[in-house]
Amino acid sequence: MYLFSVLLGNSKTRTKPPLPPGPYGLPILGYLPFLKHKLHHQFTQLSHKYGPIYRLWLGSKLYVVVSSPSLIKQIVRDHDSLFANRDPPVSALIATGGYDIVWTANGPYWRDMRKLFVREMMSNTNLQASNVFRTDEVRKLIGNLDTKIGSPVQIGELIFLTELHVLTSLLWGGEMDPTERSRLGVEFRLHISKLVDLFGKPNVSDFFPVLAKFDFQGIAKETRAVVVEVERILDCIIDAKLKIMAAGGAMEGCKDFVGILLELKDKQLGETSTFGLTQIKAILMDIVAGGSDTTATMVEWVMTELMHNPSIMQKVQQEVTNVVGANNVVEESHASKLHYLEAVVKETFRLHPPLPLLVPRYPSESCTIGEHTIPKGSRVFLNMWSIHMDPHVWENPLQFRPERFLNHNSEKFDFIGNNVEYLPFGSGRRVCPGIPLAEKMVMYLLATLVHTYEWGLPEGQTIDLSEKFGIVMRKETPLIAVPYHK
Ligand code: HEM
């Protein structure tokens, strides 16, 4: 009888593939005490020992780390829907209440909100109409830098504020009083950076959910305090917006997201939930947090690499001058002709992927990947950093060589996740929906910075290329550079 069922392939007698291999840890704590600061480096080293898929027990939770293109393809393509879930850290759950886009599980609410964001904010029509905001903010940045010629400036901070203003103009329109907007922007920056840090901070409550009520590290308390501040700012903005809407004001041709969300307010979503201010604030927080730090970090990394490689900087400057003209101002529309700059940006995204482990996935069912079972409910890290550094995938991966993205390779490695060897924005259903805006802003800002100024380092300083691991991988030390007139 047994032989019969084996021959017929009876599923009841077929054993499941084993769990992935992995290092042993301590009782109860698992591998937690052995985690190091640069998790992406450590995860890559462990993959050399345990293979491209391995497991780690961290506290009471099982983590699976995947670091080969073929296995990642199985996750983000073949089993995309199953892995399109998230398991938000306690801090993200407190901040968003489970009503945002980044951290919400795959379900009708997430799908509706993501669709709304992509259709209303990231459509070609809306992005074209909102070009005016971006131009305005980039010109203001230049106005600001013109007053700082010969003095050190912190590039990431300036770009963060510019991106924040672009995002907030897109979200709630450009009608706010500029002084008030600037003041709120500076405050907002502090709170949003803090939130992003809190989302990425290892938290005992996440590893041992039964201990969450004790909040040993005070992360939940700190998150609640930041959220109060963020909500205060969002309340001011929503109130101002409601007044403008009541007076019949809106930007022609360019919809702002808060207006659209407020129109949805009080509508029934599904059978039980209503779309209200809580949901609106969660989504706004999400977009500002997801869009500002990432863009600023990337522009800072590209400028760092350019200053570290003066011959590449010269080539970029030459290209921008040829396309734009020495005495003209860069426009967003020039970007499509700046192929070398685009290759430089892509190479920087490869060497310094802003989210080295993407955002962890959470399978809704147990699933076989390669020859191993990934159990339902485990957290899955896709270690893109290790693939971007893999000598089997990239020739001399540690070298900064933009040429690898030129010619036909420019299309081969896109941002939308078609090629699993290169995923700076993720792939599949959860791929970053902000790509069209991120791409425009990164190119426009960089072309403007290198076309308008020569850049130097403050006396006695050298370029530091070290990374600081976090959910967004910033530079260990911020880039301080000095702009000079050309
Ligand atoms: C250089 C800039 C950016 C980078 C590198 C980046 C990268 C990413 C990555 C890696 C993910 C996770 C993908 C995955 O899980 O597979 C993501 C998700 C997301 N990003 Fe971006 N992003 C950038 C800019 C933006 C901008 C400008 C916005 C909004 C205006 C945005 C909004 C979002 C949102 C809402 C999600 C969550 C999507 C979901 O879970 O369904 N991002 N981003």
Side-chain angles (χ1 to χ4, degrees):
M1 183 68 187
Y2 171 75
L3 186 66
F4 232 51
S5 20
V6 171
L7 288 175
L8 291 175
N10 185 331
S11 62
K12 279 189 187 150
T13 56
R14 224 188 284 144
T15 47
K16 262 207 233 160
L19 281 181
Y24 292 106
L26 299 180
I28 301 176
L29 295 175
Y31 202 69
L32 260 182
F34 307 110
L35 288 187
K36 298 185 180 145
H37 283 307
K38 297 203 170 162
L39 217 52
H40 55 312
H41 286 221
Q42 189 181 12
F43 281 1
T44 304
Q45 277 156 12
L46 286 171
S47 76
H48 296 154
K49 184 158 180 199
Y50 296 100
I53 177 165
Y54 62 89
R55 51 133 185 89
L56 291 171
W57 281 100
L58 300 181
S60 62
K61 292 221 177 171
L62 179 68
Y63 286 70
V64 174
V65 184
V66 183
S67 43
S68 87
S70 61
L71 295 179
I72 286 188
K73 181 174 163 289
Q74 289 184 32
I75 289 175
V76 296
R77 293 276 171 71
D78 310 347
H79 300 289
D80 184 20
S81 155
L82 210 140
F83 281 93
N85 266 303
R86 307 275 201 218
D87 178 22
V90 168
S91 50
L93 210 52
I94 291 172
T96 67
Y99 291 121
D100 65 332
I101 301 174
V102 179
W103 297 106
T104 303
N106 179 6
Y109 178 82
W110 165 72
R111 273 196 298 278
D112 285 350
M113 288 307 116
R114 189 178 158 112
K115 237 189 253 165
L116 191 73
F117 173 66
V118 170
R119 195 183 59 216
E120 301 294 350
M121 295 317 301
M122 293 295 126
S123 68
N124 273 340
T125 321
N126 206 53
L127 283 176
Q128 264 167 30
S130 59
N131 167 284
V132 51
F133 295 141
R134 296 189 290 280
T135 307
D136 194 37
E137 291 306 332
V138 172
R139 304 263 152 94
K140 277 186 200 147
L141 170 70
I142 294 306
N144 185 0
L145 281 169
D146 278 345
T147 65
K148 302 200 160 90
I149 296 297
S151 315
V153 293
Q154 200 168 313
I155 299 276
E157 191 174 285
L158 287 177
I159 301 298
F160 189 106
L161 279 181
T162 305
E163 177 65 15
L164 188 69
H165 287 155
V166 165
L167 281 171
T168 52
S169 301
L170 265 171
L171 289 172
W172 44 82
E175 309 103 332
M176 269 183 99
D177 169 49
T179 326
E180 178 67 355
R181 205 168 62 115
S182 254
R183 190 184 62 77
L184 289 181
V186 175
E187 256 190 74
F188 216 36
R189 172 175 195 238
L190 285 176
H191 302 315
I192 292 293
S193 290
K194 236 189 234 170
L195 267 189
V196 174
D197 286 344
L198 286 165
F199 292 167
K201 209 167 179 176
N203 186 352
V204 172
S205 308
D206 291 319
F207 302 123
F208 299 98
V210 289
L211 300 180
K213 58 178 177 287
F214 300 110
D215 186 23
F216 283 122
Q217 292 152 275
I219 291 179
K221 188 172 165 214
E222 210 181 322
T223 308
R224 277 190 204 99
V226 181
V227 170
V228 167
E229 293 303 317
V230 172
E231 291 210 343
R232 188 178 49 76
I233 297 175
L234 290 176
D235 282 334
C236 277
I237 286 153
I238 290 171
D239 279 352
K241 188 74 213 167
L242 282 168
K243 282 190 194 129
I244 291 167
M245 281 168 76
M251 268 287 293
E252 205 172 313
C254 173
K255 294 185 199 169
D256 68 73
F257 205 43
V258 178
I260 293 167
L261 294 176
L262 285 171
E263 274 168 22
L264 262 185
K265 189 169 143 310
D266 301 330
K267 295 223 168 96
Q268 195 71 21
L269 287 180
E271 293 196 348
T272 47
S273 64
T274 316
F275 190 74
L277 282 181
T278 313
Q279 285 79 355
I280 294 181
K281 284 190 257 182
I283 287 172
L284 295 181
M285 213 184 289
D286 211 27
I287 294 171
V288 176
S292 48
D293 213 19
T294 44
T295 306
T297 301
M298 276 329 289
V299 172
E300 191 178 6
W301 273 119
V302 180
M303 284 299 285
T304 306
E305 285 292 355
L306 286 176
M307 292 180 67
H308 187 58
N309 296 281
S311 62
I312 297 180
M313 169 71 104
Q314 248 178 20
K315 255 176 116 167
V316 171
Q317 285 179 318
Q318 193 55 57
E319 181 189 53
V320 183
T321 305
N322 292 346
V323 169
V324 176
N327 299 316
N328 297 335
V329 175
V330 177
E331 304 289 345
E332 198 177 82
S333 55
H334 289 125
S336 61
K337 298 191 190 101
L338 299 171
H339 303 297
Y340 190 68
L341 176 60
E342 187 194 326
V344 165
V345 168
K346 284 191 168 165
E347 176 67 339
T348 312
F349 273 107
R350 183 190 67 79
L351 257 183
H352 308 286
L355 278 79
L357 305 174
L358 303 183
V359 180
R361 307 291 179 106
Y362 185 74
S364 50
E365 292 297 333
S366 293
C367 179
T368 305
I369 296 294
E371 287 160 13
H372 299 285
T373 297
I374 300 192
K376 174 181 175 177
S378 41
R379 284 188 187 179
V380 181
F381 285 117
L382 307 180
N383 188 355
M384 282 321 297
W385 186 84
S386 90
I387 293 177
H388 287 190
M389 296 299 144
D390 187 343
H392 299 104
V393 179
W394 303 92
E395 207 184 308
N396 297 325
L398 298 183
Q399 261 179 29
F400 187 76
R401 205 156 54 78
E403 284 69 21
R404 58 177 113 229
F405 288 100
L406 283 179
N407 305 323
H408 65 281
N409 275 352
S410 162
E411 278 141 42
K412 186 171 160 201
F413 299 107
D414 57 27
F415 285 147
I416 55 176
N418 282 320
N419 190 328
V420 287
E421 292 171 353
Y422 181 71
L423 298 183
F425 288 90
S427 183
R429 272 160 225 238
R430 286 286 185 171
V431 68
C432 173
I435 298 171
L437 178 64
E439 212 177 342
K440 275 186 193 308
M441 278 308 288
V442 169
M443 288 291 287
Y444 185 25
L445 282 162
L446 285 164
T448 304
L449 290 179
V450 300
H451 186 56
T452 319
Y453 308 105
E454 293 293 348
W455 291 90
L457 287 173
E459 252 323 281
Q461 299 238 352
T462 50
I463 289 279
D464 174 23
L465 286 168
S466 43
E467 304 150 338
K468 182 174 169 199
F469 180 79
I471 199 160
V472 174
M473 192 164 66
R474 303 194 189 115
K475 290 189 73 252
E476 181 80 58
T477 50
L479 173 65
I480 313 261
V482 183
Y484 296 101
H485 279 312
K486 274 189 159 178

